[in-house]
Amino acid sequence: MALEVNIEKKLDGFTLRADFTVDREPFALLGASGSGKSMTLKCIAGIEKPDRGTIILDGRVLFDSEKGINLRPQARRVGYMFQDYALFPNMTVLENVLTGMRCKESRDLARRGRQGRDMGRSGSRTRRSRRPGREEALPYLRKCQIEDLADINVTRLSGGQKQRAAMARILAQQPDCILLDEPFSALDTFLKYQMEEEMSSFLASSGVPVIFVTHSRDEVIHLCKKAACLTDGAAGKVQSVYDLFHHPATTAEARLSGCRNISRAIRQDAHTLAAADWGVTFHPAGEIPEGTNAVGLRAHFLYTSPTKETDLCLPVVSAREISDPFEHRILLKASADGAVIEYLAPRQKSDHFTIPKALYFSSDDLMYLQDKEG
């Protein structure tokens, strides 16, 4: 089962171009605010209509601009969890889950009706099955651990309970695809970690394509296998989460993967690279790829003293410390006019931390980035 998306939609200030395929592995769609992530999900779900292109789910055409196909949201068999969960506020948890089951029932009845018409003119009516009730809904409530909340109005639920109720409603729909739009954005840090673990089990057992939209690199690492980045309105290549975080190709991918230390770069030769924004020149042992015009370095790859792995260094001409609960965060400059570079060090038992005169790192940890010129 796969979801194939190839669409364009004109938005304010840019044209969204999403072109990717999602299989049964949870897939992360990253991008800055306003890049078109949520709009992409809405187009897949049928809430918004693309200007052109195709959306195909498990061989079923959901949208095709040339053929004039645009299935209604109810016919797409797509489960969509909104940022605010979009539960019906006038209903209990059970009633919300039953709406998901009835959506599936209506879909199945419509399909059986079409099949009956295709079989000939027997004149028989499609038999309407009994509407699902409490007993049918209980397995979904149990799976999401909210059986004891069945008769509670959803307005009385906590953030985590609302998320579980939304998950149960999605499960009850038995969708062929699941769309998750920043599902942890309304949760506090402690609850978020709890829900990540539950969501991980949920996604692993879903057996259908899942698209996960988020700003959090931790959520991507914990929950997803593949990823793509929306940059300047266009989706980049689909790649493994490991490759995105260890070998980003562009400055946008590096930033979205959490790298804060990025500089414009000038490749002078195969082993000489000037980091223009930092005001330093490096001579890495490995060959610098042609076309490199930016460089990235993660804060936790820096050390205060050389090791057998480190072969490059950054001089520290000025620095200031920002107090964090569990680590020292140092903002330094490698040249008087250079841009700020961030360094992270574990917080010691003592609050005292000596600013180093230089920081050392391995040339293997430099990220060579290639952005389009102009």
Side-chain angles (χ1 to χ4, degrees), residues 219-271:
E219 292 171 13
V220 173
I221 293 172
H222 296 164
L223 297 170
C224 300
K225 301 295 184 183
K226 298 286 183 67
C229 296
L230 274 173
T231 308
D232 297 328
K237 69 175 182 178
V238 175
Q239 57 190 308
S240 71
V241 169
Y242 178 90
D243 285 340
L244 173 63
F245 282 88
H246 289 81
H247 309 291
T250 66
T251 56
E253 289 185 0
R255 287 193 183 98
L256 290 171
S257 70
C259 182
R260 296 176 182 172
N261 298 329
I262 299 174
S263 170
R264 292 171 298 144
I266 301 169
R267 182 184 185 273
Q268 298 177 350
D269 59 48
H271 296 281

Side-chain angles (χ1 to χ4, degrees), residues 1 24 29 66 69 102 108 193 222 229 234 267 330 346:
M1 183 178 290
R24 297 188 186 193
L29 188 61
E66 292 188 0
I69 298 173
R102 288 163 186 162
D108 292 344
Y193 287 131
H222 296 164
C229 296
R267 182 184 185 273
I330 310 300

